[in-house]
Amino acid sequence: MEPLQLDQNVYWVGARDPDLEVFDLAMPLQHGTTYNAYLVQDEQPALIDTVRLPFWEHLERRIRAVLDPANIRYVVVNHHEMDHCGSLLRVLDLAPQAEVIIARPAEPFLRNTFHADINFRKAGDGDTVSLGRSTLEFHLAPFLHWPDTMFTYVRPNGILCPCDAFASHYSTETLVYDVFDPDMEAHARYYYDCIMRPYRSRVAKGAAKAAKLDINILAPSHGPIYRDQPRHFVEKYLEWTADEPRDKKLIVVVLASVWDSTRRMAGEIAAGMNHDEVEVHTYDLPFAPDADFVSDLARDLEAADGIVLGAPVMVGAVAKPMWDCLLTLANLDIRGKQAAIFGSYGWQSKGLGLLEQIAAHLGLKVAQPALSAQFVPDAEAATECREFGRSFAAAVAGES
Ligand code: FEO
């Protein structure tokens, strides 16, 4: 349990969790993760973040290998999720004179997490704390990944500790990369898609802020630390959060179908969307889509100007793949987009009303009444579907 020296007076003192299979009860992992914490050894030593509580002993041993924890003067909490602040009270037991530094919005998080009398100060954007040779500079980065998140930049070392941003859930023995590994890009992208994407516009602002800093070492809170190409993932975040330029409006039709009726409706609706200024992408949901399918769908849904959801009514609700799609939508920046709902039914159609309500709850503007067809759509239903598609495309194109 040796600490890793990142720079003359800065050490990684975190913990590896290579066996973690699911993060946040939401993100399946193949390579575990790490909880990165950093110790700045100086006249006034500072600890930047802690680790999940079950890994407290790893943190303690690594800190003790560098200095007596009683000498820690500051503990920076970049973000209050338990994977980073879980050991805070244990640290303060050993360093009772330490002052905790949090971002301004984090005060209720600190109080309602620990219910303890903690000596803390709130950092504003650009505030600094001198440690002696090094200075900590704080940059508020709301929603990367919670409203409380801030980056800590260590001067003059040029070490950026951006907490969850630019991270990967990936546990390796190496941890500190002196030669950039391009294979890490897929892991960083998967992490971005799962953790950062719901806050895409905020993430773009945070990445732009990081891009203004002179970064020698990128030291996020999970996975590899980059001494080689430390700006790579900052630039990737700028790219991933940018809008793709498009000549046409994009409508994404997402459907689930059991006996082909909703699939036929989707085909007719898409045919009705034939419009010079509109491009249509259709996704036919399998029962268990793979990660690439979900990633492509999420990217298109985020880029879409209009979203059309279709599913057959089942047991008063809709087929399961559409529920999974709604969960994907809940994790995307899609508020305010125009939407429409359709589907087939057997003896009652009220499940489509539920789909409409959820779409509205997610912030979609459901612009026209849901279209339903009982059992198998006939020629008349097909005509209604084409008209449904035509009017939706016209609305997305701004004609009505
Ligand atoms: Fe790694 Fe949002 O916690």
Side-chain angles (χ1 to χ4, degrees):
M1 292 202 185
E2 291 298 310
L4 300 173
Q5 188 168 16
L6 300 186
D7 203 5
Q8 199 179 9
N9 64 327
V10 181
Y11 297 82
W12 174 86
V13 289
R16 294 180 175 86
D17 187 1
D19 300 323
L20 188 70
E21 293 181 348
V22 179
F23 186 80
D24 266 4
L25 215 54
M27 181 180 177
L29 303 181
Q30 290 188 330
H31 305 279
T33 193
T34 68
Y35 312 110
N36 297 339
Y38 302 98
L39 187 62
V40 185
Q41 188 182 34
D42 212 321
E43 292 162 29
Q44 311 261 23
L47 177 67
I48 301 171
D49 287 322
T50 73
V51 297
R52 267 185 74 193
L53 187 54
F55 294 85
W56 153 241
E57 287 180 2
H58 300 227
L59 176 67
E60 182 188 2
R61 282 188 215 170
R62 289 188 169 113
I63 292 172
R64 286 191 188 281
V66 179
L67 50 75
D68 179 349
N71 293 327
I72 293 174
R73 178 68 184 88
Y74 299 105
V75 182
V76 177
V77 177
N78 274 332
H79 162 42
H80 274 74
E81 198 160 7
M82 288 295 193
D83 49 337
H84 307 301
C85 71
S87 300
L88 180 63
L89 294 186
R90 300 296 173 92
V91 172
L92 295 178
D93 282 345
L94 298 184
Q97 90 294 358
E99 185 177 25
V100 174
I101 303 177
I102 59 174
R104 274 201 191 121
E107 184 175 352
F109 294 28
L110 186 75
R111 291 194 192 288
N112 293 307
T113 299
F114 296 109
H115 308 285
D117 187 16
I118 293 174
N119 173 28
F120 70 94
R121 80 163 76 169
K122 292 179 275 185
D125 205 29
D127 284 359
T128 58
V129 168
S130 172
L131 307 180
R133 282 177 293 167
S134 293
T135 297
L136 304 182
E137 185 176 283
F138 305 105
H139 297 272
L140 303 190
F143 291 95
L144 290 90
H145 146 240
W146 281 3
D148 63 314
T149 303
M150 66 179 178
F151 300 160
T152 299
Y153 180 65
V154 187
R155 290 186 185 275
N157 312 67
I159 301 176
L160 178 63
C161 303
C163 202
D164 284 335
F166 320 122
S168 308
H169 283 312
Y170 198 94
S171 176
T172 65
E173 270 309 305
T174 314
L175 201 58
V176 182
Y177 280 54
D178 285 317
V179 177
F180 185 77
D181 178 357
D183 287 349
M184 285 314 302
E185 188 151 325
H187 302 290
R189 177 71 205 215
Y190 175 55
Y191 178 97
Y192 166 85
D193 282 344
C194 294
I195 305 285
M196 293 290 158
R197 178 172 228 151
Y199 311 109
R200 188 175 67 123
S201 56
R202 309 290 195 112
V203 174
K205 287 180 188 160
K209 218 176 222 189
K212 290 182 184 157
L213 298 169
D214 189 9
I215 306 169
N216 294 324
I217 301 175
L218 183 71
S221 59
H222 298 289
I225 297 157
Y226 300 97
R227 281 196 288 219
D228 185 31
Q229 301 192 35
R231 299 183 66 81
H232 182 85
F233 287 117
V234 175
E235 280 153 19
K236 280 289 159 191
Y237 269 45
L238 292 173
E239 183 187 316
W240 294 338
T241 53
D243 288 327
E244 239 178 76
R246 284 186 182 279
D247 297 334
K248 296 184 177 184
K249 300 282 188 185
L250 174 62
I251 296 176
V252 176
V253 178
V254 190
L255 71 124
S257 188
V258 178
W259 297 115
D260 272 344
S261 293
T262 300
R263 187 169 289 115
R264 285 191 201 183
M265 292 179 76
E268 298 294 347
I269 288 168
M273 288 174 176
N274 187 11
H275 189 294
D276 285 346
E277 293 173 27
V278 170
E279 180 180 344
V280 180
H281 294 180
T282 299
Y283 287 83
D284 194 331
L285 297 169
F287 180 74
D290 62 23
D292 286 345
F293 184 101
V294 175
S295 185
D296 289 348
L297 172 62
R299 253 169 248 177
D300 262 0
L301 287 169
E302 221 164 43
D305 300 287
I307 295 172
V308 181
L309 304 174
V313 173
M314 293 182 78
V315 203
V318 291
K320 180 184 177 298
M322 183 51 67
W323 287 112
D324 296 338
C325 175
L326 293 171
L327 193 57
T328 299
L329 280 164
N331 280 299
L332 297 175
D333 189 4
I334 44 99
R335 292 191 79 77
K337 294 180 191 289
Q338 295 186 70
I341 306 298
F342 71 97
S344 61
Y345 67 98
W347 47 96
Q348 53 96 341
S349 62
K350 69 179 182 185
L352 296 179
L354 184 61
L355 195 49
E356 276 183 305
Q357 285 176 30
I358 295 171
H361 177 77
L362 294 175
L364 294 170
K365 284 191 201 161
V366 183
Q368 56 197 74
L371 179 66
S372 60
Q374 190 169 22
F375 286 105
V376 178
D378 60 8
E380 189 181 336
T383 302
E384 284 179 22
C385 287
R386 282 195 294 277
E387 174 53 26
F388 182 86
R390 189 205 62 73
S391 65
F392 187 77
V396 169
E399 292 171 5
S400 58

